């Protein structure tokens, strides 16, 4: 199974508008971070996790073929702002979108024209599937197990697929969820905002390292990282073995 990092940045992305820091002024493509999203592919199945406002740009030069499912972690704009850009992929049929009850309700309000009885011609054909934490489901030949994490006080979803886990925007996670994940994760993709200055709803690098070690992940890739984390090449020198800052366009096999 191939994982492609479509975006590894925060809600502002990098470079940040109006910022002249070393990261935002860098010419290194590893320092250009679009809003966080990944593409998961087997020979038969293609799944997108989150569909942010950079989705069109992220997919522009990738093979145009069916998207079998879109997993939604939560409905903050940087994670769902590109939903309307799914329209071209509806040439292959309706697109199944998977979200928990709160996120599904939010999507109905955010893009109501996709869910009316008499739809305007050309709107995305979205089939909304409500999912629950800890109840697995299948998309093609991929089994997905959603689990609960907390984005500050907001409950959102992480996803376990085989021995690969994807988590974004986490601040905390419950003991039951940790126990259910411990020893099951080989490859972890998890948010790490920056090195210092605590945030009310995002974990820092040290938090992400501690979480990874708690669940005994073999290798960990950091995403949803802001420009304050520093340049890609410099940040990666600071991490222990088995940890690295992901970059846009990076591909890994799990």
């Amino acid at each position: 199974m191939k994982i492609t990092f479509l975006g590894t940045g925060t809600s502002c992305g990098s470079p940040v508008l109006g910022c002249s820091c070393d990261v935002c002024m860098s010419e290194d493509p590893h320092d250009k971070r679009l809003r966080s999203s990944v593409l998961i592919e087997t020979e038969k199945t293609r799944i997108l996790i989150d569909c942010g406002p950079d989705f069109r740009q992220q997919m522009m030069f990738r093979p145009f073929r069916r998207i079998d499912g879109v997993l939604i972690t939560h409905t903050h704009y940087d994670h769902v702002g590109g939903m309307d850009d799914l329209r071209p992929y509806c040439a292959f049929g309706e697109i199944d979108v998977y979200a928990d009850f709160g996120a599904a309700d939010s999507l109905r309000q955010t893009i109501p024209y996709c869910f009316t009885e008499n739809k305007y011609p050309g709107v995305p054909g979205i089939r909304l599937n409500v999912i629950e934490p800890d109840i697995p489901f299948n998309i093609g030949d991929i089994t997905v197990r959603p689990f609960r994490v907390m984005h500050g006080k907001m409950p959102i979803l992480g996803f376990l697929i085989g021995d690969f886990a994807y988590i974004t925007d986490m601040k905390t996670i419950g003991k039951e969820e940790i126990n259910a994940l411990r020893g099951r994760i080989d490859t972890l993709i998890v948010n790490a905002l920056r090195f210092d200055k605590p945030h009310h709803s995002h974990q820092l690098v040290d938090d992400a390292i501690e979480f990874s070690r708690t669940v005994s992940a073999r290798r960990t890739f950091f995403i949803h990282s802001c420009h304050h984390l520093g340049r890609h090449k410099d940040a990666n020198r600071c991490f222990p073995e088995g940890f690295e800052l992901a970059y846009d366009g990076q591909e890994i096999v799990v």
Side-chain angles (χ1 to χ4, degrees), residues 145 160 162-165 176-188 211-218:
R145 178 183 174 271
L160 180 67
D163 58 7
F164 152 70
E176 289 187 7
E177 286 78 12
I178 288 178
N179 290 335
L181 294 172
R182 184 180 285 117
R184 298 183 62 180
I185 300 174
D186 177 79
T187 300
L188 172 66
F211 170 72
S212 172
R213 288 173 170 167
T214 299
V215 297
S216 303
R218 180 178 65 87

Side-chain angles (χ1 to χ4, degrees), residues 48 51 55 67 70 82-91 95 97 124-126:
L48 178 72
C51 186
F55 172 72
I67 294 176
V70 180
M83 294 293 290
D84 192 79
D85 288 323
L86 289 168
R87 280 182 292 167
Y89 293 92
C90 295
I95 297 176
V97 173
I126 292 175

Side-chain angles (χ1 to χ4, degrees), residues 18 23 29 33 51 58 79 104 126 131 138 151 178 195 201 224 234 236 245-246:
V23 175
R33 303 170 191 154
C51 186
Q58 291 164 339
H79 296 269
I126 292 175
I131 58 176
N138 294 325
H151 181 20
I178 288 178
F195 284 105
S201 63
H224 211 280
D234 298 327
N236 269 332
L245 178 60

Side-chain angles (χ1 to χ4, degrees), residues 179-212:
N179 290 335
L181 294 172
R182 184 180 285 117
R184 298 183 62 180
I185 300 174
D186 177 79
T187 300
L188 172 66
I189 297 175
V190 68
N191 60 302
L193 184 67
R194 54 195 177 214
F195 284 105
D196 51 19
K197 192 180 178 182
H199 191 277
H200 71 280
S201 63
H202 293 271
Q203 63 180 3
L204 305 183
V205 168
D206 285 347
D207 302 318
I209 291 174
E210 180 181 0
F211 170 72
S212 172

Side-chain angles (χ1 to χ4, degrees), residues 73-127:
T73 60
H74 63 300
T75 54
H76 283 167
Y77 183 79
D78 55 317
H79 296 269
V80 296
M83 294 293 290
D84 192 79
D85 288 323
L86 289 168
R87 280 182 292 167
Y89 293 92
C90 295
F92 303 100
E94 282 191 312
I95 297 176
D96 282 295
V97 173
Y98 299 84
D100 66 15
F101 180 84
D105 187 58
S106 178
L107 283 175
R108 292 188 186 98
Q109 298 178 51
T110 305
I111 46 175
Y113 55 88
C114 292
F115 306 106
T116 58
E117 185 174 345
N118 298 309
K119 297 182 180 66
Y120 185 83
V123 304
I126 292 175
R127 185 162 47 228

